[in-house]
Amino acid sequence: MSHFVAATHLPVDGERLQESKFAKWRSLFMAAGALGLVLSLVLFLMGGPTANAYAFSYLFAFEVFFTLTAGALFWCLLHSASNSAWGVAIRRIPETLAQSFLVLALLGLPLVMPFMPNKPEWIGQMWEWIGLHQEIKGDPGVAGGLKAALAANHDTLLLYKKYNYLHLGFDGLPGWDLRYIIYFAALGFIAWKLLGYSLQQDANGEVRPTFSARRFSCGMLPVFAVCTTFASIDWVKGLNYKWFSTMFGVNIFAGSALCSMAVIILIVGTLVKTGHLKRIVNEEHFHLMGKLMFAFTVFWAYIAFSQYFLIWYANIPEETQFYAIRNTGGWWYFSIALTFVHFLAPFVLLLRRNAKRNINYIMACAALVVGVHIMEMYWLILPERGRSLYPEVGTAPDGMTFLRDSLFDVLAFVTFAAVYALVFLRNLSKHSIYPCGDPRLEESVNVAN
Amino acid sequence: MSTPLKRVHGYLAEFTTVQDIFRAAEKVRDSGFTSWDVHSPFPIHGMDDAMGLSRSILPRFVFVGGATGTLTAFTLQYYTQVVLYPTVVQAKPANIFTIPAFFPVMFELTILFSAFTALFGCLALMKLPRLHHPLFNSKNFPRFSDDRFFICIEARDPKFSTEKTKSFLESLGGQNIELVEGEA
């Protein structure tokens, strides 16, 4: 057992982020973020095929960081709801990550353009049902309203069947736009409230905020589940309105919690290596976080395989189309690689106990997990760009287009990463980097497993 | 009728609190005893380190057990479904690319074999089941499952000595120290 650290030996007002150590990073993020935002704006304003192609890249980056933030919120909720003590020492990191819903809501605006009666072309290209909707709505020859028009056409029959979800109130009260706002408002509110309880405790050191957070978390877990499930249906599954899978929401959630835990490990590891959290975090915490990362690696594989398995076995065209394009051409190698690097590699690497207790090793594994999560989001979203934008050449665009699109992907990702990191650093420097007032801090600091 | 032969099993010392037994365990460890054990009604966090126990070999057994399960399931299915009697289901190929259909059974057998290895390996390492243990001859010992903590230093330990070990346990704060005997 390592040396016992009594709560009375820890500073009362916690520990601040040593901002000077990240000054270089901060200016790098600021430069990259500003440049990226300007370039993104230019690309969207250019309109036409450029904006259409860039919108997919932008959605990909948006979804990577949305899942990361949602996963962080999940860990906060789970920690409070399960009345855990072990994670108090690292809880401020997911709490701070979860504050990023606001910046994501703003960054995501070009994808949604809420309350615009006529969406820009790239939105209609990306979510084809919106394009069809606007096309039919704008056609004066349509008799009997939108619903009848959708039902009359063979191509849009599936859209007609999903009318109640997708189009409901689209003309009067825009349901799709409204949902975007509801997700961010609900998730942002939960994150804000949880951090609020925690900060309140920093100041007064009382037990009551723990109980309040616990009660609040138990109530909010269903809200979280509903919001993240429907958000993934709206933004990712909605890319192909003809496809359906009842496991899609939980599939995204599994990757989201996994990636988020990996990012938490990376951040805590970086803080420890830069001389923070000296007597607060030790290898026991990395072991515990590593166990959760391992568990979610298996959970992700279980869910992703179950979805594939049912569709593969049943062999119904409406369902298999999703995997058909991901089994074609270069995507086939990508899909097979995903099986190995998203499941097998982390599974084998994280199996040993000592692996999870070595900070350098576990950080390398966490970096791998973040990488494969980005790969998975790429795999989920970007095959749809080929199908939507370059149907005449199948799913594979020509070399130059592919190069341009890949540069777009990198640009969108770097933009989001830089802005997100900047916001995170800013949020983290606002308060102590661990919950210094939590009565269970002592228990967490001396945790053994 | 002959009197059964007795053999000294070891010294048993009783402790009343977790703190006491924890410190005593650390001291027994530091004195270099190897054949000794701690008995408590519930698991004590950090006791493994306090006793100086090394990692169990069980995880390695379980890994081998699990891998055996995976391979058993794969071989069983591949041999019967592809080699011996190729079965075409839903126009799926009868070759290695049928592997998704094998995954559920591979998964289940991995779990099953791992669980069996863990259970039976654990029992084997603890030399269980057994019908009797010399410690059960002690009148105090049953309280190990209620509200007392015990340290037993066994006679087969090379550092064991009838007098010194007793006074050593007394110096640690052990109470009701008794010499436990078992049948030879």
Side-chain angles (χ1 to χ4, degrees):
Chain A
M1 195 188 202
S2 51
H3 199 68
F4 186 81
V5 182
T8 44
H9 294 157
L10 296 170
V12 188
D13 49 356
E15 184 184 348
R16 290 283 165 154
L17 185 73
Q18 300 164 32
E19 292 185 57
S20 58
K21 287 186 172 160
F22 299 98
K24 227 188 261 175
W25 286 103
R26 188 186 287 258
S27 38
L28 182 72
F29 291 146
M30 218 175 271
L35 187 68
L37 285 178
V38 170
L39 283 175
S40 303
L41 190 66
V42 169
L43 288 172
F44 276 121
L45 286 179
M46 277 170 75
T50 318
N52 294 347
Y54 188 62
F56 281 93
S57 307
Y58 203 77
L59 177 67
F60 151 68
F62 173 79
E63 193 61 23
V64 167
F65 287 93
F66 178 77
T67 49
L68 165 60
T69 315
L73 182 59
F74 167 73
W75 291 116
C76 295
L77 282 168
L78 187 71
H79 192 268
S80 297
S82 61
N83 209 13
S84 309
W86 71 269
V88 170
I90 56 115
R91 200 185 62 206
R92 194 47 62 76
I93 306 303
E95 273 171 2
T96 311
L97 277 174
Q99 300 308 308
S100 304
F101 280 118
L102 180 65
V103 68
L104 283 176
L106 294 174
L107 283 175
L109 284 179
L111 298 174
V112 182
M113 296 287 186
F115 305 114
M116 254 181 83
N118 285 312
K119 304 277 177 195
E121 190 194 345
W122 67 78
I123 294 182
Q125 290 277 351
M126 201 152 48
W127 290 289
E128 284 166 10
W129 65 269
I130 295 182
L132 284 166
H133 176 105
Q134 302 207 134
E135 206 177 296
I136 295 170
K137 205 175 65 175
D139 184 356
V142 172
L146 181 62
K147 211 173 168 183
L150 290 171
N153 193 331
H154 181 73
D155 256 359
T156 52
L157 190 63
L158 277 168
L159 208 47
Y160 163 74
K161 303 222 177 205
K162 294 174 185 180
Y163 187 89
N164 283 342
Y165 182 72
L166 289 176
H167 294 279
L168 187 68
F170 198 92
D171 294 305
L173 183 70
W176 197 72
D177 297 350
L178 203 61
R179 283 204 297 275
Y180 180 84
I181 289 163
I182 289 172
Y183 301 146
F184 277 108
L187 296 173
F189 171 74
I190 299 172
W192 174 75
K193 194 83 179 151
L194 281 176
L195 183 69
Y197 286 129
S198 196
L199 290 180
Q200 197 185 331
Q201 208 166 32
D202 273 12
N204 61 22
E206 281 175 12
V207 183
R208 189 141 296 284
T210 301
F211 294 145
S212 311
R214 186 173 69 197
R215 199 178 314 114
F216 180 73
S217 299
C218 292
M220 287 302 129
L221 267 170
V223 177
F224 168 84
V226 168
C227 282
T228 49
T229 303
F230 283 101
S232 64
I233 291 176
D234 274 1
W235 304 332
V236 187
K237 201 166 86 174
L239 287 171
N240 179 359
Y241 69 88
K242 292 177 188 169
W243 185 60
F244 47 88
S245 160
T246 46
M247 299 192 77
F248 197 76
V250 69
N251 189 10
I252 295 274
F253 160 74
S256 149
L258 171 65
C259 157
S260 190
M261 186 41 81
V263 169
I264 295 167
I265 291 176
L266 283 177
I267 293 172
V268 176
T270 312
L271 287 177
V272 168
K273 280 176 169 291
T274 47
H276 298 80
L277 299 169
K278 248 176 208 139
R279 297 159 78 188
I280 308 293
V281 171
N282 55 40
E283 83 260 16
E284 300 285 349
H285 298 97
F286 284 96
H287 187 187
L288 285 158
M289 290 189 284
K291 282 198 251 187
L292 286 171
M293 192 162 78
F294 178 76
F296 267 79
T297 300
V298 180
F299 181 61
W300 175 87
Y302 186 81
I303 297 298
F305 175 71
S306 300
Q307 177 177 285
Y308 174 76
F309 189 55
L310 294 177
I311 290 175
W312 178 77
Y313 238 134
N315 216 0
I316 299 168
E318 291 99 282
E319 291 178 353
T320 48
Q321 53 167 328
F322 176 83
Y323 287 106
I325 59 165
R326 284 163 184 78
N327 271 347
T328 311
W331 287 115
W332 186 81
Y333 298 99
F334 203 97
S335 306
I336 297 290
L338 202 58
T339 320
F340 283 92
V341 295
H342 205 311
F343 169 63
L344 211 59
F347 180 83
V348 173
L349 291 174
L350 288 169
L351 199 54
R352 286 185 313 118
R353 179 177 190 260
N354 288 347
K356 287 171 276 209
R357 298 174 76 87
N358 180 328
I359 296 184
N360 287 327
Y361 188 95
I362 190 87
M363 279 178 76
C365 292
L368 171 76
V369 168
V370 174
V372 294
H373 179 71
I374 295 167
M375 264 179 82
E376 193 207 355
M377 288 298 137
Y378 187 86
W379 179 83
L380 280 173
I381 291 167
L382 292 175
E384 301 294 339
R385 172 166 59 197
R387 184 153 70 175
S388 300
L389 300 186
Y390 323 115
E392 67 282 2
V393 283
T395 52
D398 64 90
M400 281 315 286
T401 316
F402 180 73
L403 185 68
R404 182 200 66 177
D405 290 354
S406 300
L407 287 176
F408 281 179
D409 299 340
V410 173
L411 172 68
F413 184 79
V414 169
T415 307
F416 268 82
V419 173
Y420 193 93
L422 204 61
V423 169
F424 174 74
L425 278 177
R426 203 180 108 78
N427 283 337
L428 193 62
S429 59
K430 280 188 199 157
H431 39 65
S432 165
I433 54 175
Y434 62 87
C436 51
D438 196 305
R440 286 190 290 202
L441 181 63
E442 189 183 75
E443 190 182 343
S444 173
V445 168
N446 297 296
V447 71
N449 72 109
Chain B
M1 216 170 107
S2 63
T3 318
L5 280 171
K6 294 280 187 182
R7 191 176 67 178
V8 175
H9 176 71
Y11 271 115
L12 186 67
E14 183 182 314
F15 295 83
T16 39
T17 67
V18 174
Q19 283 87 346
D20 288 346
I21 190 109
F22 200 90
R23 286 196 199 102
E26 285 178 328
K27 286 194 184 124
V28 177
R29 172 195 68 191
D30 295 341
S31 321
F33 287 101
T34 47
S35 298
W36 63 289
D37 209 349
V38 171
H39 304 270
S40 70
F42 47 81
I44 301 169
H45 278 301
M47 185 50 97
D48 286 10
D49 285 341
M51 288 177 69
L53 293 180
S54 56
R55 284 278 288 162
S56 163
I57 197 174
L58 190 60
R60 287 155 205 276
F61 290 169
V62 175
F63 178 78
V64 174
T68 312
T70 317
L71 288 176
T72 308
F74 176 75
T75 318
L76 183 74
Q77 292 174 97
Y78 188 80
Y79 191 67
T80 54
Q81 298 292 304
V82 177
V83 180
L84 204 63
Y85 195 90
T87 318
V88 177
V89 180
Q90 290 247 346
K92 298 286 184 290
N95 58 29
I96 188 67
F97 291 104
T98 326
I99 201 167
F102 302 162
F103 280 161
V105 179
M106 285 162 73
F107 173 72
E108 300 293 350
L109 279 203
T110 310
I111 305 277
L112 184 73
F113 278 43
S114 304
F116 276 156
T117 320
L119 175 64
F120 293 113
C122 182
L123 290 177
L125 289 175
M126 293 191 295
K127 301 188 179 67
L128 285 176
R130 57 187 290 173
L131 296 173
H132 190 65
H133 193 279
L135 280 178
F136 294 151
N137 293 335
S138 161
K139 284 243 160 48
N140 289 327
F141 189 64
R143 289 186 79 174
F144 89 93
S145 66
D146 182 10
D147 60 349
R148 285 291 189 275
F149 308 87
F150 291 90
I151 284 182
C152 174
I153 300 180
E154 291 174 22
R156 63 193 162 103
D157 192 294
K159 293 197 74 181
F160 185 85
S161 120
T162 323
E163 285 85 40
K164 278 192 205 153
T165 306
K166 184 172 186 194
S167 55
F168 173 63
L169 283 170
E170 272 166 359
S171 74
L172 297 180
Q175 296 145 355
N176 298 332
I177 296 170
E178 60 176 310
L179 193 68
V180 181
E181 289 178 327
E183 278 163 34

